[in-house]
Structure formats: C-alpha cells, structure tokens
Amino acid sequence: MTVREVVRTSSGQGLLVFGILLIASTLRTPITSVAPMLGMIRENSGISAAEAGVLTTLPLLAFAAISPFAAGLARRYGIEKSLFGALLVVAAGIALRSTGPIWALFLGTGTLGAGIAVANVLLPSLLKRDFPNRVAGLTGAYAIASGLAQALASTAAIPLAQLPGSSWHLSLACTLIFPVAALIVWAPQLQLSSAPEREASSTHDRGRIWRSALAWQVTGFLGLTSLVFYVIVGWLPSILAEAGYPVATAGSLHGLSQLAIAIPGLLLGAAVKRMKDQRALAVGVSLTTCLSLLGLWQLPALAALWVALFGFGAGAAFVLGLSFVSLKASNSQEAAALSGMAQCLGYSLAAAGPPLAGLTHDATGTWSFALAACAIATLLMAVLGSLAGRAKTI
C-alpha cells in the first residue's frame, strides 16, 4: 500500500472530506460578505457605486487571470500543496483588506481572489480523482458548506460592524476564521501529496477541451450563472435599501439568500448523479432564478420570498454547473482543464457585471435596468444549460 492508499481509509477519507468542506466555506464568503457593508464603505470612503462594484469584480478578474495557471501549479506541486498555498493567499488577502486604507481594501480583495481562483479550479479535479463515484454528492455537500458560511457572514456583517468601537474593517477581518480553519484541517494532507506530474491536464487535454462545443456550453452556463449571481449578491442590500428596507433588514435578507443557496446541495447532489440527462434541471433552475429577479423588480414588497427563491435557483445552478465540470470530463486531468477554461472565460464575463450594474444605477437612479438584464441572462442560461445537460461527455 502507498501512503495515499493507507490514509484514504474511512477515517482518512473523513478528514479529507472535512477539509474539502472547509475549503468550500472560503470560496465565496470573503466576497459576498462585503455586500451588506457596501453602503457603509461608500459613506466612509466616498467611493462611487461603480467603484464599489469593483470590490465584487476584482476577485472575478483574479479568477479569470489565475484559473488557467492553477492546473500548472498542481502539475508542479500536487493538488494538496497547491490548495494549501491557495488558502494562505486567501488569508493574506483578507488580512490586508482589513487594515484600513482604501488601497489595501482593493489590493487585498484582488489577492484573496487569486487564492480562491486556484481552489475553484482544483477542487473539482480532486473530487474526480479521489471520489469518482461520489462527484455529484460531494459537489452538493461543498455547495451546502459554502452557502452556510456565506449566510453566517452576511447576517453577522452589519451587527459586527456596529459593535462599540468596531467598524467595517473588523467585520471584514472576522472572515479570516474560514481560511484559518481550513488551513488547520488541510495541513495533514501535505504529507501525502501525490506525484505532481499526475495532477493536471496535458497540452493535449487542454487543446481538446478548447475545441469541444460541449466545453463551451458548460463554460457559458457557468459564466452566466456567475454573472447573475455576483451582480445580485453584490448589490442586493442596496437594491433592498432603495426599495425601503432598513440596512440591518437588508443585511438579514442578504443572509437569507445565502442560506437558500445551501438548500440545493441537500437536494441535488444525489439527484444529479442519477440523471444521465440534466437538460430539464438546467432549464428549471434558470427559469426559477429568472422568476425571482422579476419579482424583485416588480414586487419588492415580497422581497423575502424573492431573495429565498433567488438563492435556491442560483445555488442549484452553481451545483449543476460545478457538477458539469466533473461529469462531462472523462478523467481528473480533463476535469482540471475544463475547470480552468470554464472559470477563466466564465469569470471574465461575470467580472463586467457588478461595475456595469453600478454604472447604470448611477446613470438612471434605479436598479430596474440591472434586474431586467440579469433576467434576460437567465434565459440564455436556460438555452446553454439545455445543451450542456445532454447525456454526453467531452
């Protein structure tokens, strides 16, 4: 038995899964936890809505820039070590952005995005390699972990910032708990990091992925899902405040949307695994998200219903999109290549959303245009999802 085979017993696998879930808790929480405090940050710093939107966009730009190199890091250092390094970068970014100056806020946000980008790419590859028969279930599990962490951070953001002697800096710093916990639990994996040259895709794998129509469909579905998600999550508290909700209530409703994101992980993990054809599911979650956006736009008085529905629909789309990355690939190398492509191009698309939404709000004085544009994007999601969900692999 190799060291890896010994440790990948039931107890070893339990520790590995726990580590994966804690890593998942860091993948969006440091980004989404900023949204409830954007108004406070703008008031204290004087930045515009478009500049505030950049705080959501910077991590997405980092995702797009760094994702193509993540597989190369795994090839050189192994997946386990690369993930550990990614968590260190996330923690450093959170610490930097919490120090006070506005330049540190922006630089730290970009830094943590670089770390998250590597983990985003390598986790699907790790699941494909170590849990080939449990990909959908574990993808659902780490979507649950991510959603619960986001809900906790979003709900606590404003109360923490309003404590005596506190500020938005301290509230942002509190999200350090997520990467630090993940680092502690993941550390034992470093001693059994497998042969680096087996961890990433070859040039042949990458070339085949970029020539595949199915890969482009998966990329488009994930890209539009990310675009809609980060526009709404980034601006939801501001949208609700404009509709007349108090700041604290808007923060709580933002937390509700993040909590709802966790629900599809409970329901879809096993279901996706049993489905050879996911077209109906892809169309269904896209239209559910569309309905929630139309509701927020036209009937904000029922915001609790719409934000919960949005969280469910967007969360389900993410679970399905992440499952596509593993299910449509034939091996872990191909999964890493597809993940890198989908996240590079998908997040390049998504990065334009938050600042453009902020610009249109500054120009028109309303969020109606952004909500309508996101609703149209969900219809395109339905089309691409119906193509990506066919019973075929690359």
Side-chain angles (χ1 to χ4, degrees):
M1 264 191 172
T2 64
V3 174
R4 172 171 295 279
E5 288 169 337
V6 170
V7 179
R8 294 300 187 251
T9 58
S10 58
S11 60
Q13 282 197 340
L15 183 63
L16 175 61
V17 169
F18 188 38
I20 289 171
L21 297 182
L22 287 177
I23 292 174
S25 74
T26 72
L27 294 185
R28 290 202 295 266
T29 303
I31 304 170
T32 59
S33 61
V34 176
M37 293 180 292
L38 279 180
M40 189 180 297
I41 293 172
R42 289 185 62 193
E43 182 179 342
N44 292 345
S45 65
I47 62 176
S48 68
E51 290 170 328
V54 172
L55 289 175
T56 302
T57 291
L58 275 175
L60 306 185
L61 291 174
F63 293 173
I66 302 300
S67 292
F69 303 101
L73 289 174
R75 182 165 57 247
R76 183 169 183 178
Y77 301 107
I79 289 182
E80 291 85 355
K81 291 179 180 177
S82 297
L83 285 171
F84 191 83
L87 291 170
L88 287 174
V89 173
V90 174
I94 293 174
L96 176 60
R97 76 173 182 180
S98 306
T99 56
I102 291 300
W103 66 263
L105 174 64
F106 283 90
L107 180 59
T109 299
T111 300
L112 67 88
I116 294 173
V118 174
N120 271 337
V121 171
L122 297 185
L123 270 185
S125 180
L126 179 71
L127 294 182
K128 188 72 174 181
R129 185 196 68 188
D130 287 354
F131 303 97
N133 298 318
R134 298 171 59 190
V135 167
L138 286 175
T139 298
Y142 82 64
I144 294 171
S146 179
L148 291 175
Q150 291 175 77
L152 174 62
S154 294
T155 303
I158 294 297
L160 285 172
Q162 292 178 338
L163 288 174
S166 183
S167 67
W168 58 265
H169 304 93
L170 177 62
S171 185
L172 289 181
C174 288
T175 57
L176 261 173
I177 190 173
F178 297 104
V180 169
L183 281 165
I184 293 171
V185 174
W186 195 253
Q189 305 298 330
L190 298 181
Q191 63 180 321
L192 39 115
S193 186
S194 57
E197 66 273 11
R198 299 182 60 187
E199 303 293 354
S201 59
S202 66
T203 302
H204 173 70
D205 290 322
R206 293 193 296 271
R208 183 172 56 189
I209 290 294
W210 285 79
R211 293 190 299 269
S212 167
L214 179 57
W216 282 96
Q217 291 151 11
V218 170
T219 296
F221 182 80
L222 262 178
L224 290 172
T225 298
S226 299
L227 171 68
V228 172
F229 175 83
Y230 284 107
V231 168
I232 301 305
V233 168
W235 289 115
L236 181 59
S238 298
I239 293 170
L240 294 172
E242 188 173 279
Y245 288 89
V247 174
T249 302
S252 297
L253 288 171
H254 188 269
L256 174 62
S257 72
Q258 306 306 298
L259 183 61
I261 285 172
I263 296 175
L266 293 169
L267 304 176
L268 295 185
V272 171
K273 181 181 178 181
R274 292 194 296 267
M275 292 179 181
K276 292 184 178 180
D277 186 312
Q278 298 91 22
R279 286 178 292 181
L281 180 59
V283 172
V285 299
S286 299
L287 295 182
T288 298
T289 308
C290 183
L291 176 61
S292 71
L293 296 171
L294 294 176
L296 274 175
W297 178 17
Q298 296 295 325
L299 198 58
L302 298 179
L305 170 63
W306 306 129
V307 299
L309 194 63
F310 173 80
F312 182 85
F318 262 118
V319 170
L320 184 58
L322 291 171
S323 297
F324 280 160
V325 170
S326 296
L327 295 174
K328 303 304 177 180
S330 56
N331 53 58
S332 63
Q333 293 84 6
E334 200 168 80
L338 177 56
S339 184
M341 173 186 173
Q343 296 194 54
C344 174
L345 297 183
Y347 286 122
S348 294
L349 172 64
L356 283 177
L359 281 172
T360 57
H361 178 267
D362 284 350
T364 64
T366 177
W367 292 107
S368 297
F369 183 83
L371 288 169
C374 286
I376 293 172
T378 60
L379 298 180
L380 295 176
M381 277 171 55
V383 174
L384 290 170
S386 68
L387 295 172
R390 291 171 296 170
K392 61 184 297 185
T393 58
I394 295 171

